[in-house]
Amino acid sequence: MQELEYQANHDSLTGLPNRIQLHRRATEALRAIAGQPGCLSLMLLDLDRFKEVNDTLGHRTGDALLRLVAQRLQETVAAHQGVVARLGGDEFAMLLPRLPDAARALEIAGEIVRSLYRPTEVEGIFIELGGSIGVAVYPQHGGTSHALLRCADVAMYAAKENSSSVSLYDSSYDEHNPRRLAMITELGSAIRGDQLILHYQPRYHFGSARWCSCEALVRWQHPRLGFIPPGEFVQFAETSELIRPLTLWVARQAVQQMARWHADGLEVGVSINLSTRNLLDITLPDALAGLLSDVGMEPRFLELEITETALMNDPDRAMLVVNRLAELGMHLSVDDFGTGYSSLAYLKRLPLHALKIDRSFVRDMLHDEQDAIIVRSTVGLAHSLGLQVVAEGVEDAETLAGLHRFGCDEAQGYVLSKPLPAEQAGALMRLPPRSIEP
Ligand code: C2E
Ligand code: CA
Ligand code: CA
C-alpha cells in the first residue's frame, strides 16, 4: 500500500516527486504563507539539448543524465528548503516555499542554473549541461499552484527566446505566446509556401578591395504577424523536425541565386548558416552537393557557417558531417567565434576555411583593450592555422580600418551594407566598393 502510494507521487526514474505531488506540496505551502509577508516561488527548468543527447547517445545515457541533473538540483534546492519535482521529459520544477522577495527567487534560479554548468561526465562522455529557468512568484503572479506553474512555463519560454538562462514572469510575455504557437504550427507551411525570403549581406575582402561573397539570412514575412526575425523562428525549427527542410530551402534559394549572379558575370560566393541539428544529419552534405550540381555550381562557392556551440554539442558526430562537407568541396567557417568554448585542439582537426569573429568583440575593439587583444590574437591564431578571418558586425569606418591594420581578411557589417534583398545585394556587389575606408 505504502509502495503504491509512493509510486503514485514520485517519478520512477529519478525518485523525485512528480507533478501530482508538486501541486500538493505547493498548495500546502500557499496555504501556509497566505497573509504572511514574503513570497513563494515556483520555477520551471528545461534542459538545453537534452533531446539531442537522448537521440544521439541513447536512452540509457539520457536516463543517467536526468538522474544526475535530479541529484544536482536537489542539492542546490534543499539548501533553500525547497522541493524539486520532475514533470516529465527533461522538465523539472522547483518549489521555494518561503522567500523574502522575487529578487531572491531570481538569485536562487541563477544558482540552480550554475550548478548545471559544472562539467558533467556521464558514462565516460563529457556533456555540456545548461538550461533555462522560468520563475513565477506568489502573490504577484497567481494564487494557485496551477496558475503559478503556467506563468513559470511562459517565463521559461521567454528565457529560451532571449537566450538567457533565467527569466521572471512578466504579463507582457503572454502576448507573445499566441505568436509563438502560431509560429510553431505555421512554419512548416511557410517553408513549403512562399512566406520566407532570403536577404544577402555582402562580405568585403580587404586584400583585393572587392566584394567576395555574401551571407544568406532568412526572413519570414508572416501574413498576420508581419516580419519575424530569424532569431525567433530558427530556434523552433531546431526543436522540431523542420530544421532540415528549412536549411535545404535556404540552401536551394541561395545556390540558385548565386548561379544567376555567376551567369550575369558576378562571381561571388554565398554562405548559409547551419544549425546544431544540421550537424547531426549525416545525409545533409550530399543533399547540399546535389543542389550545387543541379545548377552547375562549383562547391567551393558555397560556404557553411557553423557556430562553435553547434560544433561542441556533439564534437564527434559534427566532425563526420563537417569532414563530408569538406570532402565534397564546400567551404566551412566557424561562426560567432569567441563566444563558445571550442578547443583549439579540436578546431585544428577540422577542415575549416575561415573563422568569423563575433560582433561582440568587433564592436568595442577600438575602446576596449581586451576586445582588441582578442581580435588581434584571433587573427594571428587563424593565420597560423591557415584560416581566413572574417570580422562581422562592423558598424563604423574606424573599426573597419582597424581590422585592416590587424590583418583581418574580410569584413561584414552595417558600415559596408545591411542584409539586402537579392536584387539590391547583386547591384551593390557589382559596384566597386570605393573609398569605404577612411
Ligand atoms: P549571424 O549568423 O551572426 O548573422 C549575422 C546577424 O548580424 C544578422 O542578423 C545580421 O543582420 C546582423 N548584422 C549584420 N551586420 C551587423 C552590424 O553591423 N551590426 C549589428 N548589430 N548586426 C549586424 P539576422 O539576419 O537577424 O540573423 C540573426 C541570426 O539568425 C544569424 O546570426 C543566424 O545565427 C540566424 N540565421 C539567419 N538566417 C539563418 C538560416 O538561414 N539558417 C539558420 N540556421 N540560422 C539563420
Ligand atoms: Ca552567420
Ligand atoms: Ca555570426
Side-chain angles (χ1 to χ4, degrees):
M1 193 57 210
Q2 259 181 338
E3 177 66 8
L4 272 181
E5 189 176 319
Y6 182 87
Q7 280 175 13
N9 289 307
H10 291 83
D11 162 49
S12 58
L13 178 70
T14 60
L16 291 176
N18 61 15
R19 192 183 287 268
I20 300 169
Q21 176 74 346
L22 174 78
H23 281 301
R24 189 172 299 149
R25 301 282 286 268
T27 306
E28 281 165 17
L30 281 165
R31 222 174 272 143
I33 201 175
Q36 307 274 326
C39 74
L40 169 154
S41 177
L42 257 188
M43 307 177 180
L44 204 60
L45 163 76
D46 188 75
L47 293 179
D48 294 337
R49 301 181 294 266
F50 176 72
K51 192 172 161 10
E52 276 155 39
V53 170
N54 219 31
D55 289 351
T56 54
L57 301 176
H59 292 276
R60 234 172 54 120
T61 311
D63 286 355
L65 186 67
L66 289 173
R67 273 193 290 261
L68 198 133
V69 167
Q71 196 186 325
R72 282 202 192 159
L73 293 176
Q74 210 158 17
E75 279 166 23
T76 314
V77 172
H80 301 286
Q81 285 79 48
V83 178
V84 182
R86 176 165 175 243
L87 303 186
D90 60 342
E91 252 187 19
F92 293 86
M94 283 78 62
L95 166 69
L96 281 306
R98 194 164 289 235
L99 299 171
D101 50 27
R104 184 72 189 122
L106 282 175
E107 273 171 30
I108 295 175
E111 202 180 307
I112 295 171
V113 170
R114 283 192 299 280
S115 79
L116 296 177
Y117 286 151
R118 292 197 311 247
T120 305
E121 194 189 342
V122 177
E123 301 187 326
I125 300 164
F126 276 95
I127 295 173
E128 276 169 31
L129 270 179
S132 299
I133 298 187
V135 179
V137 296
Y138 165 87
Q140 291 93 316
H141 304 144
T144 67
S145 70
H146 286 278
L148 290 171
L149 202 59
R150 196 194 67 82
C151 292
D153 186 52
V154 170
M156 198 259 301
Y157 274 102
K160 278 197 184 280
E161 271 174 28
N162 306 329
S163 317
S164 56
S165 47
V166 173
S167 156
L168 182 67
Y169 174 76
D170 185 299
S171 60
S172 72
Y173 294 159
D174 269 331
E175 293 152 25
H176 299 300
N177 227 24
R179 180 178 163 96
R180 194 167 70 81
L181 281 176
M183 274 195 262
I184 297 169
T185 50
E186 293 169 34
L187 182 57
S189 52
I191 296 169
R192 290 185 297 275
D194 54 1
Q195 291 175 17
L196 299 184
I197 50 160
L198 290 185
H199 281 186
Y200 297 86
Q201 188 174 34
R203 274 164 55 169
Y204 172 73
H205 185 247
F206 286 111
S208 58
R210 282 172 183 278
W211 303 112
C212 52
S213 174
C214 55
E215 176 173 3
L217 295 156
V218 68
R219 275 91 183 82
W220 184 1
Q221 194 56 52
H222 191 284
R224 260 181 316 107
L225 300 172
F227 172 77
I228 306 175
E232 280 192 44
F233 66 88
V234 170
Q235 196 189 333
F236 295 130
E238 269 262 44
T239 51
S240 65
E241 296 308 313
L242 290 171
I243 192 64
R244 182 182 156 88
L246 175 66
T247 303
L248 288 176
W249 183 89
V250 169
R252 182 176 297 113
Q253 302 297 313
V255 160
Q256 287 176 348
Q257 181 57 55
M258 174 166 66
R260 284 193 288 274
W261 282 330
H262 280 234
D264 285 350
L266 181 62
E267 216 180 78
V268 290
V270 292
S271 63
I272 64 166
N273 293 282
L274 294 190
S275 282
T276 307
R277 288 192 71 143
N278 290 142
L279 292 182
L280 305 177
D281 180 357
I282 304 286
T283 65
L284 186 74
D286 289 85
L288 294 176
L291 294 175
L292 286 159
S293 75
D294 284 348
V295 292
M297 286 297 313
E298 279 178 58
R300 67 183 168 97
F301 286 110
L302 178 62
E303 178 173 313
L304 306 162
E305 302 191 3
I306 307 173
T307 63
E308 272 183 278
T309 326
L311 283 169
M312 296 319 285
N313 180 59
D314 185 348
D316 294 330
R317 182 86 169 258
M319 175 122 37
L320 287 178
V321 173
V322 161
N323 281 336
R324 181 69 188 145
L325 289 165
E327 211 173 272
L328 290 165
M330 287 167 253
H331 282 181
L332 295 154
S333 56
V334 177
D335 204 358
D336 305 344
F337 184 76
T339 59
Y341 29 110
S342 56
S343 79
L344 190 57
Y346 177 75
L347 291 184
K348 254 174 79 173
R349 284 158 56 210
L350 295 179
L352 298 173
H353 183 71
L355 298 184
K356 293 189 83 176
I357 306 182
D358 190 67
R359 59 174 171 276
S360 56
F361 304 110
V362 172
R363 191 184 48 214
D364 298 327
M365 69 172 214
L366 294 183
H367 312 288
D368 183 326
E369 185 54 24
Q370 286 301 34
D371 287 349
I373 291 170
I374 290 172
V375 172
R376 240 180 292 144
S377 49
T378 302
V379 172
L381 172 84
H383 286 167
S384 72
L385 293 174
L387 305 179
Q388 301 282 299
V389 188
V390 184
E392 60 178 6
V394 189
E395 294 186 348
D396 57 77
E398 291 72 32
T399 306
L400 189 68
L403 288 162
H404 195 180
R405 275 200 311 280
F406 287 177
C408 198
D409 302 284
E410 287 180 36
Q412 175 184 353
Y414 294 164
V415 69
L416 295 161
S417 167
K418 294 209 166 187
L420 299 169
E423 201 163 321
Q424 282 160 261
L428 180 77
M429 289 187 291
R430 264 173 224 290
L431 299 173
R434 271 166 300 131
S435 62
I436 48 182
E437 288 177 65

